[in-house]
Amino acid sequence: MNISPLQKARYEYSPKLPGMLRHGIADICVKEGEATQSVADQDKIKALFPNTYGKPEITFEKGQNTSASKKQVVGVILSGGQAPGGHNVVCGLYDALKATNPENVLYGFKGGPSGLIEDKYLIFDDEYINEFRNTGGFDIIGSGRTKLETEEQFAIASEVCKKHGITAIVIIGGDDSNTNAAVLAEYFAAHNTGVQVIGCPKTIDGDLKNEDIECSFGFDTATKTYSELIGNIERDCNSAKKYWHFIKVMGRSASHVALECALKTQPNICLISEEVAEKKMSLSQIADYIADSVAERSANGMNFGVAIIPEGVVEFVPEFSVLIQEINELLAGSKADEFNALPTWADKYAFIEKGLTKESMAVFAILPQAIQQQLFLERDPHGNVQVSLIESEKLFSALVKDKLDARRAAGTYNGKFSALHHFLGYEGRCAFPSNFDADYCYSLGYNAFMLIQYGYNGYLSKVSNLSAPASEWVAGGMPITKMMNIERRHGEDKPVIKKALVELDGAPFKYFEAHREEWAKNTCFVYPGAIQYYGPTEVCDITTITLALEHQK
């Protein structure tokens, strides 16, 4: 296999563990805290998880290991979208498992949770796992989006574990995957299978976060990767001085990625979906907000700029959400076939005009035709609009152009406006993990095995104090049920881990809010450059600005 010089060099990198995990397995003991409860809906969550609810949060400390000595056969699953550092979670788990007892075995279930149900696996050895240390991607065993949520699936999983003598399963995933982990853990406990389930917090979106999870893994690397590209675009923008760049970044439900990239690169404009929802901003208001920056900069001779757009922002615009709901109703059932049979876009437009309310039609009418058609071309399996396919970066640049044309006609604007468009998504999901993510992920995996060794079930591997050097990180675990509440999903009440949105009264947003007016008027671009792996600590091991602001003293 051909490998790059960087991959070869990264094989030699030794991830840094939290201080209490550096003394050897024999010198780690457990400190138990108070009993926990869910963030909301306590009675309902407790009723759903009678065997795993209310357990204590735990912290690992230096001391005599009192865990039972037994052979451990562990299975690991990568679930959901890729995030940099996933390989190191597996490597940390493997190293802790083998350090405890060389006879311990690690199974990797292939292709995500479906690998467990279909009994597709490999057994890790030193030679194989060494090929993936400190590398990006999930190709070590592959990933998938199958959900483990039915009694039938749980029964099959139990039989597969029994067949291989598996004592624990580690599920590496986001909020939905860890919700599934909690439900599986409860099933295993209720049926006395003797199999433990441990989760690890993954998502580049940054929305698996709370008072216990300071940062999901992959967020650091992904935002640094996007910020490098945004910085490069900013430098090009400031060199050519003739384009406005509209850059969409990942983040369907929350704007953590957009906010962190803005803090790193200081663009002229960055939309925050949560603020759009809070202020009930219309498409027209957002377009005016961006156009104000374009016009003011143009008046000062700067017909160029950069705007960052979160992937899911249109869903947070109240009038657009209503429009989407009406379109879903308009094409429900057989009406979709009737619509699709119409021969021309003009015919379809008339059908739409007849079926929407006056208010929603007014919103629909201001959309560029390409966006209008996107709303009707692609449907999800439930027949709904796939909002994630809407090219919101093109939508807002087109709306801004309309605003500027109107201002030009009114004699209040005479600048030039040329827009270029970018979507930064998959570019960040499988990058070589930063030193932070390499260390953090290795620690999460190592720590996950310690939770297994001490017999915990339905727990999330937790590493905190992340804004400090790794030697000061604190390792431990928390019951997954502590993060849960009840939400309505597809007409049913479901226990889910609550997504963390950008807090508008939080330090990261407040810092952004205090500086964005200056950034909108002036050219304050910052060029982060590529992720650095070797060199000064302040360059190579730096955390996200979000994390630093949240934990500044």
Side-chain angles (χ1 to χ4, degrees):
M1 180 177 70
N2 292 327
I3 61 173
S4 69
L6 179 61
Q7 184 171 338
K8 184 177 181 181
R10 291 305 281 169
Y11 284 160
E12 305 302 319
Y13 179 73
S14 297
K16 299 180 284 292
L17 282 167
M20 73 286 298
L21 296 184
R22 296 181 183 183
H23 305 292
I25 300 296
D27 294 324
I28 299 175
C29 67
V30 169
K31 177 184 176 183
E32 288 198 351
E34 299 295 317
T36 60
Q37 63 178 17
S38 59
V39 293
D41 308 306
Q42 286 82 12
D43 291 342
K44 289 182 179 180
I45 300 294
K46 184 176 181 179
L48 290 168
F49 297 90
N51 296 283
T52 52
Y53 185 85
K55 303 296 183 183
E57 197 161 331
I58 69 104
T59 304
F60 289 118
E61 297 182 337
K62 185 176 180 181
Q64 184 178 358
N65 190 322
T66 57
S67 63
S69 179
K70 68 170 185 176
K71 180 181 177 182
Q72 298 281 9
V73 181
V74 179
V76 64
I77 296 168
L78 292 165
S79 180
Q82 289 72 251
H87 287 167
N88 267 28
V89 180
V90 180
C91 292
L93 174 63
Y94 178 84
D95 288 354
L97 172 143
K98 289 296 185 181
T100 304
N101 180 353
E103 299 300 311
N104 287 342
V105 180
L106 181 62
Y107 281 72
F109 287 100
K110 295 181 176 180
S114 62
L116 176 61
I117 305 303
E118 297 167 5
D119 198 17
K120 293 179 179 178
Y121 64 89
L122 59 80
I123 297 175
F124 290 104
D125 58 26
D126 291 354
E127 182 181 4
Y128 185 73
I129 209 154
N130 287 342
E131 293 179 16
F132 296 93
R133 292 185 184 275
N134 308 306
T135 58
F138 277 9
D139 45 314
I140 189 169
I141 49 175
S143 185
R145 295 188 180 274
T146 299
K147 292 188 177 182
L148 301 177
E149 53 188 355
T150 68
E151 289 281 320
E152 181 184 10
Q153 289 174 319
F154 298 152
I156 294 170
S158 180
E159 286 302 311
V160 170
C161 289
K162 184 177 180 180
K163 171 185 173 183
H164 298 295
I166 287 173
T167 54
I169 295 287
V170 175
I171 295 178
I172 301 167
D175 53 342
D176 283 342
S177 300
N178 277 290
T179 295
N180 295 157
V183 178
L184 183 62
E186 178 64 29
Y187 178 92
F188 282 164
H191 290 78
N192 297 310
T193 63
V195 181
Q196 302 158 243
V197 181
I198 302 296
C200 288
K202 170 232 73 173
T203 172
I204 67 164
D205 288 348
D207 55 8
L208 180 52
K209 184 168 73 168
N210 49 49
E211 63 180 16
D212 291 292
I213 303 171
E214 295 178 7
C215 183
S216 55
F217 82 75
F219 179 74
D220 184 88
T221 305
T223 53
K224 283 174 177 168
T225 301
Y226 299 143
S227 295
E228 177 199 350
L229 297 171
I230 292 167
N232 293 349
I233 290 168
E234 286 179 338
R235 195 123 223 180
D236 186 272
C237 178
N238 200 22
S239 299
K241 300 189 187 301
K242 60 181 180 180
Y243 297 114
W244 265 85
H245 295 262
F246 286 72
I247 306 170
K248 183 170 72 172
V249 296
M250 277 193 160
R252 172 93 185 260
S253 300
S255 304
H256 297 289
V257 171
L259 178 57
E260 174 63 22
C261 290
L263 293 172
K264 277 186 165 70
T265 62
Q266 301 184 178
N268 306 105
I269 294 291
C270 177
L271 301 181
I272 301 298
S273 300
E274 293 84 344
E275 183 182 26
V276 168
E278 174 78 13
K279 294 183 176 179
K280 295 182 169 55
M281 296 177 72
S282 67
L283 291 175
S284 180
Q285 287 172 319
I286 296 170
D288 267 324
Y289 168 64
I290 301 171
D292 287 346
S293 175
V294 175
E296 185 168 8
R297 286 175 60 78
S298 179
N300 292 318
M302 296 179 288
N303 290 299
F304 63 93
V306 170
I308 296 177
I309 313 292
E311 179 183 16
V313 67
V314 291
E315 292 186 82
F316 288 76
V317 178
E319 60 181 359
F320 201 88
S321 296
V322 172
L323 170 63
I324 296 298
Q325 291 168 14
E326 289 192 19
I327 291 174
N328 288 336
E329 286 294 319
L330 182 63
L331 297 186
S334 60
K335 288 185 284 188
D337 294 332
E338 180 186 346
F339 175 82
N340 291 329
L342 295 171
T344 68
W345 175 246
D347 294 323
K348 291 178 177 179
Y349 194 93
F351 180 96
I352 295 164
E353 197 166 20
K354 191 185 302 181
L356 295 180
T357 62
K358 182 181 177 182
E359 292 78 13
S360 287
M361 191 60 208
V363 177
F364 186 77
I366 69 169
L367 301 178
Q369 184 174 312
I371 301 294
Q372 291 175 341
Q373 291 174 336
Q374 282 176 13
L375 292 174
F376 285 87
L377 288 176
E378 304 266 6
R379 326 293 295 166
D380 71 12
H382 304 287
N384 296 324
V385 173
Q386 294 198 64
V387 180
S388 61
L389 295 177
I390 296 170
E391 295 175 303
S392 48
E393 71 280 21
K394 294 182 180 178
L395 166 61
F396 284 111
S397 79
L399 294 178
V400 168
K401 183 179 183 302
D402 289 344
K403 292 288 185 182
L404 294 173
D405 287 345
R407 295 184 189 194
R408 191 187 306 279
T412 58
Y413 168 76
N414 63 356
K416 297 176 181 177
F417 179 73
S418 297
L420 296 176
H421 308 99
H422 315 264
F423 173 37
L424 305 181
Y426 291 90
E427 295 87 344
R429 302 204 310 173
C430 289
F432 275 99
S434 62
N435 284 356
F436 173 86
D437 269 330
D439 298 344
Y440 180 38
C441 291
Y442 188 82
S443 299
L444 286 171
Y446 204 97
N447 186 62
F449 183 74
M450 296 311 304
L451 291 167
I452 293 168
Q453 188 69 7
Y454 271 98
Y456 292 100
N457 179 38
Y459 272 66
L460 191 82
S461 179
K462 173 185 170 182
V463 177
S464 53
N465 200 32
L466 296 173
S467 60
S471 60
E472 299 173 27
W473 290 355
V474 178
M478 58 174 272
I480 299 174
T481 53
K482 185 185 176 187
M483 302 186 292
M484 301 181 95
N485 67 344
I486 297 291
E487 288 182 15
R488 198 80 176 160
R489 297 270 181 98
H490 305 300
E492 295 181 49
D493 284 344
K494 293 279 190 179
V496 297
I497 294 173
K498 191 174 183 180
K499 281 187 185 293
L501 304 182
V502 169
E503 294 180 0
L504 301 183
D505 58 354
F509 180 79
K510 285 297 183 186
Y511 181 91
F512 166 72
E513 187 179 40
H515 292 83
R516 62 180 170 186
E517 187 176 337
E518 181 190 359
W519 300 351
K521 290 188 295 188
N522 303 314
T523 303
C524 304
F525 300 154
V526 173
Y527 314 114
I531 296 173
Q532 299 299 305
Y533 302 98
Y534 307 99
T537 298
E538 64 270 20
V539 174
C540 297
D541 296 343
I542 190 171
T543 60
T544 61
I545 297 176
T546 296
L547 192 59
L549 288 170
E550 285 172 339
H551 296 276
Q552 66 183 356
K553 295 177 177 155

